[in-house]
Every structure is written in structure tokens, then in C-alpha cells.
Amino acid sequence: VDSSVSSNDTSSEDTSSDLTSSDSDIIVPPQDTASSTDTSEILTETKTEVDADDKAYVRNPAPLSSPMTSKFDSQADAMRNKVLNASDALPASVTGKIWYISNDGSDRNSGNSKNDAWATIDALNFYGNKINSGDAVLFERGGVYRGTFNAKSGVYYGAYGTGDKPCIYGSSQNYAKVNWKKKFGNIWICDTYIPDDVGTIIFNHGEMVGYKRDKKYEMKNNGDFWCDENNGYTLYVYMDKNPAEAFKSIEIGIRKTIINISAGMKDITIDNLCLKYTGAHGIDAKHGSANITIKNCEFGFIGGSYLKGYWREYTRYGNAVQFYQGCENILVENNWIYQIYD
């Protein structure tokens, strides 16, 4: 989808009398042109466009949609502030290179210094074979980085700079900036390709949350959504006006974990990161993982997609942090965790 298309532009209304999917509803995935192109050239074209709407950070989104008070608010605020204001400190285990990622960087850079930082998680994945045990990967504070990655043994993942924690979003883009097509009545179709089941939709970073419906005819209120798995995961949202006109930020979490820790990985620390907006897990560690520390992190608006398998129509899932099948020496401390499906 051409990102230059105005969010106010919509195709003519489909006046069909029901919500039955048609071929015209299916969002076609982007064509893969990489097969005949040098991958290094593709990476050099990667650019970062992060504006104020994308970077809008709310230190406590709970009061936005569900305001309430409690006699324990002061204690909760103190605990939250302890997490949000945790300082950065490289552990003694970092004896190798330090790799930097910044919204002001470029994927053409080496990544070896603050002034030569990479710009995106794409670069982290592309150059992953250069990252070794004893290295550190640092994201600049105040930035937003979209995508997912696999953590490597012996590597420290953390933050540098000043400001809010670096935000790593499972949502691939701000969907308030794509075209939405009116299907019928108050039903809108997200007119861009979505590669997997949608588990969660967050509007304006928590002012409103979406409600996933199992059937298209269950969409009756603003924020209700249905993801049509049988037609390329086409996303339908009920809204009384164009979603892109109603909100400055729309984050869509699909069935994809943000940080994967593969089987047998060990000696990994994840520190001072903010992980949000995915329909699967924030961090998922497979069997045999060992000596893993996760601290000072924020996890929010995670989960809600269907599990794959024959039981999928009955079970939704998503954890902030998940370890299973024989993991050992795991420390998860001083993290702020909220709005997690499972």
C-alpha cells in the first residue's frame, strides 16, 4: 500500500445488503520482488518514518478507557515509576561489541556506534550473524521500533540515551495512516495486507480498545472487529466513521511474538524495553532455555489471537512472558505488565 495515500480517501461504499465476503474484499499480499534482487540493496532502501502520533507515549494508559481509583493508587504509582525510571547499566557479561539502533540511524550504517546506528529491527535481523555472545544490542530511548526478532545466546538487549523506554511494537505500522474502505453501513475494511490473525486493536494508545468477534454478524458496536481467516485475514472493523479520521493512532497486533528465545538459548538479558501491540506473546522462550533475565520492562496490550491447530476456533492466547518445557534459572523482576490477554 502506498503510504502517501490520504487516510481520508476511501473507495465508494459497497451497498451490498450483507457482510458476505467477496473476491473484492480480499487484500492481496505485496508481491515478493526479492528473488531477483540483491538483499543488501533491499536493506539499504529501508527507511524509518516515526512521527509524533507514532511516538505518543502514555505513562499510564489505564485511565484513558477505564478510569477508576483505589486506595492503593499511590503504591501502584510508586511501583510503576520504579519500573519506568529504571536506569541503564551494562552488565559485566558484555565483553564484546555494542550494537546501536536509533530512529535517527540508517540501515546502511555499521551499527557499531551511536553516530553510526542502525534504524530498524530489519537491520538487527539482517546482520544477526554478526552478533555474538558477549555483545549488547541497545535501542535508543524515546524511539519506536516495529518488528520481531530472535534473541541470541549470551547477548544483552537494552536501552541507551535519555527519555522513555525504547518501544518495540509488534504492530507493523500505524494503521491510522492507511486507507480504510467502507463495506456497508458502519463496517470498514482495512485496505492493506495483514499477514496473520488479528488478536488486538488499540486506538490512540489506549483511549479505546477493539473487541474481537468470532463471526462477522456479531459486529454491532464501535471497536468490534472480525478477521476473516478464510480470505487472506481481511480485517473488518465496526466504526461510525472512518477509523483513520476518528483516531490518530491505530495499532494492530497479529499472531506473532515480539522476542523469540529459541530452544536451548542461554545467558540472555532483556532490560529496560517496552513491548506492546501483538496478538501473540511479548517474549516466548522454548524448551531448554537457561539463565534468562527479564527486568525493568513494560509489557502492554498483548495477546488475543487464535492458537493454530484444530482447537483454534475455541482458544485465544498471548502472554507477556512465557517459558515452558524444561527451562531453568529464569528471573523476571521489576516489570510493569498490563492488558495481557492470557
Side-chain angles (χ1 to χ4, degrees), residues 286-307:
K286 306 297 192 297
H287 57 273
S289 300
N291 308 325
I292 312 296
T293 297
I294 300 168
K295 61 181 182 176
N296 306 320
C297 291
E298 176 182 347
F299 299 87
F301 300 112
I302 286 171
S305 290
Y306 288 118
L307 275 168

Side-chain angles (χ1 to χ4, degrees), residues 188-209:
W188 299 82
I189 297 174
C190 181
D191 198 19
T192 190
Y193 174 64
I194 294 175
D196 213 325
D197 182 54
V198 174
T200 186
I201 304 178
I202 307 301
F203 304 93
N204 284 357
H205 301 286
E207 285 184 10
M208 181 178 178
V209 296

